[in-house]
Amino acid sequence: MPRAVSDGGEAIDADIASRTSSHSHMDGGHHHHHHGHKVEFPPKKKLIDEFTDAVKETFFADDPLRQYKDQPMSKKVLISLQNFFPVLDWGRHYTFRKFRGDLVSGLTIASLCIPQTAASYRL
C-alpha cells in the first residue's frame, strides 16, 4: 500500500488503520479498504526555467497585462488612458455626496495640520 506523506512517518498509517477498523464496526461488519494516495514529485525544471518562473511570480503575480488580452485597439487605448489618468475611470461615478465626504475629510486633516504648523513658528 502506498504511504501518505506526513511528518509523523508510520503514525499516519496507524491512524488510517484505526479509522478503517472503527468504520467496519459502524457498518455492521462490512470491511472497507481505504488506500492512501501517492504524491509524486513535480518534474525537474532547468535552473533558468525556475529562475524565470520565480521572477514572473515576484513581479507579475497578478498578470497586469491580462486586461489588454483579446481587446480591440480602441479598448486598449481607453484602458491605457485610465491607467495613466485614473479619474477617467472613477470620475464617471463621482457624485456630489462623495465630494461632500471628501471635502469634510480634507478640512478635518487641514484643521489638524494648521495648529501644528503655527505652533512650530512660535519657537
Side-chain angles (χ1 to χ4, degrees), residues 15 19 45 108:
D15 185 44
R19 287 183 188 170
K45 289 185 176 181
T108 303

Side-chain angles (χ1 to χ4, degrees), residues 1-37:
M1 174 161 99
R3 299 237 352 233
V5 177
S6 77
D7 292 333
E10 296 174 351
I12 195 163
D13 287 340
D15 185 44
I16 290 172
S18 69
R19 287 183 188 170
T20 304
S21 64
S22 66
H23 283 296
S24 65
H25 294 297
M26 288 189 279
D27 293 343
H30 297 296
H31 293 281
H32 297 281
H33 296 286
H34 295 279
H35 297 286
H37 296 282

Side-chain angles (χ1 to χ4, degrees), residues 33-70:
H33 296 286
H34 295 279
H35 297 286
H37 296 282
K38 188 174 181 182
V39 178
E40 303 273 333
F41 285 103
K44 189 72 176 160
K45 289 185 176 181
K46 294 179 183 176
L47 181 61
I48 189 69
D49 292 335
E50 286 186 32
F51 179 75
T52 304
D53 290 346
V55 168
K56 284 181 185 176
E57 182 64 28
T58 302
F59 293 107
F60 304 108
D62 60 350
D63 189 14
L65 302 178
R66 180 181 60 243
Q67 61 185 337
Y68 292 95
K69 187 175 182 179
D70 300 328

Side-chain angles (χ1 to χ4, degrees), residues 55-103:
V55 168
K56 284 181 185 176
E57 182 64 28
T58 302
F59 293 107
F60 304 108
D62 60 350
D63 189 14
L65 302 178
R66 180 181 60 243
Q67 61 185 337
Y68 292 95
K69 187 175 182 179
D70 300 328
Q71 297 291 339
M73 184 54 90
S74 59
K75 181 73 173 175
K76 289 179 182 179
V77 169
L78 178 64
I79 293 170
S80 297
L81 286 173
Q82 288 174 341
N83 285 332
F84 284 106
F85 304 104
V87 70
L88 296 175
D89 186 33
W90 60 260
R92 295 179 289 160
H93 309 287
Y94 199 70
T95 62
F96 182 71
R97 184 178 184 139
K98 290 179 182 178
F99 173 74
R100 280 192 331 206
D102 288 344
L103 181 65

